[in-house]
Amino acid sequence: MPQDHRPAKSIRVLLAEDQGMMRGALALLLGLEADIEVVAQVGTGDAIVGAALESRPDVALLDIELPGISGLDAATLLRDEAPDCRVLILTTFGRPGYLRRAMEAGAAGFLVKDGPVEELARAVRRVLTGETVIDPALAAAALGAGPNPLTARECDVLKASVDGATVADIASKLSLSESTVRNYLSSAIGKTATRNRMEAMREARHQGWL
């Protein structure tokens, strides 16, 4: 049986990815690196913090769009609950708004999934030394994109608009009056230069603002 020639102190990695096949492939490929050990795998955003507190990873690789809370929201929680864990966002969606939100959440890096695993392994090592690692093309796009024009409440109202929710549904969910909800929706539609709230929500998601 071949021996595992890992160094005495491997880099401990938590992997959060909702697609089981992708999660397994990433874990397998990273596990082939002599200095990296995948110590936890989760498929939902809600499981990230608990898994991090239990497994004590050095680096958390987080997808953004996960069941439950997003990888960006989990990054914010990890900053408070597991401050020694460096966060690296790994996503299919290279959107400038996502990058800005990731940096605001304290992430140490942001990469898209179509890169080679060797690049990902290098990024894991680099963030552990204190570097910030960002996909160069995405960094350039983010600089030209400008900040999110929507307020936090406008984002909340757009998020609550999914699945055909009525104004009354949104108002009840967010504990707001219906007139206030309509004002927020109108403002969001204007800022996104769209014709209705569904278009506004799609545009905000496309930009990575939600």
Side-chain angles (χ1 to χ4, degrees):
M1 178 177 289
Q3 294 183 344
D4 189 346
H5 296 290
R6 294 181 185 278
K9 182 66 172 70
S10 295
I11 301 171
R12 298 169 61 82
V13 170
L14 178 151
L15 181 58
E17 162 64 53
D18 64 325
Q19 297 183 26
M21 187 175 293
M22 173 68 76
R23 185 171 66 247
L26 284 173
L28 178 62
L29 291 170
L30 286 173
L32 294 175
E33 300 290 323
D35 59 339
I36 295 176
E37 179 184 5
V38 177
V39 296
Q41 301 179 47
V42 300
T44 67
D46 296 337
I48 291 172
V49 172
L53 293 177
E54 181 177 348
S55 62
R56 296 295 177 183
D58 302 303
V59 178
L61 292 178
L62 308 183
D63 192 7
I64 290 179
E65 297 194 355
L66 295 166
I69 66 171
S70 73
L72 296 174
D73 290 333
T76 300
L77 294 175
L78 286 176
R79 181 178 56 192
D80 298 327
E81 300 289 337
D84 293 333
C85 178
R86 302 281 281 172
V87 172
L88 181 59
I89 299 294
L90 183 65
T91 182
T92 304
F93 305 102
R95 297 169 180 166
Y98 279 165
L99 173 57
R100 287 180 177 273
R101 290 169 61 196
M103 296 300 101
E104 290 169 359
F110 193 110
L111 296 177
V112 291
K113 291 180 182 176
D114 59 1
V117 70
E118 293 82 7
E119 179 181 331
L120 176 58
R122 284 195 295 271
V124 167
R125 298 182 186 106
R126 289 172 62 191
V127 299
L128 194 59
T129 65
E131 291 186 55
T132 298
V133 181
I134 300 173
D135 179 90
L138 184 58
L143 287 174
N148 177 4
L150 302 173
T151 66
R153 258 319 192 190
E154 288 165 354
C155 288
D156 290 340
V157 167
L158 286 181
K159 289 177 185 176
S161 297
V162 297
D163 300 327
T166 66
V167 169
D169 293 334
I170 299 169
S172 176
K173 182 177 181 179
L174 299 179
S175 299
L176 298 172
S177 70
E178 292 186 25
S179 61
T180 298
V181 168
R182 290 192 183 93
N183 288 339
Y184 282 135
L185 288 173
S186 177
S187 179
I189 290 167
K191 289 179 179 179
T192 54
T194 53
R195 295 175 297 180
N196 55 57
R197 59 178 168 138
M198 297 312 295
E199 288 186 5
M201 182 178 65
R202 284 194 292 269
E203 177 62 17
R205 285 193 180 280
H206 176 72
Q207 294 293 339
W209 297 332
L210 298 183

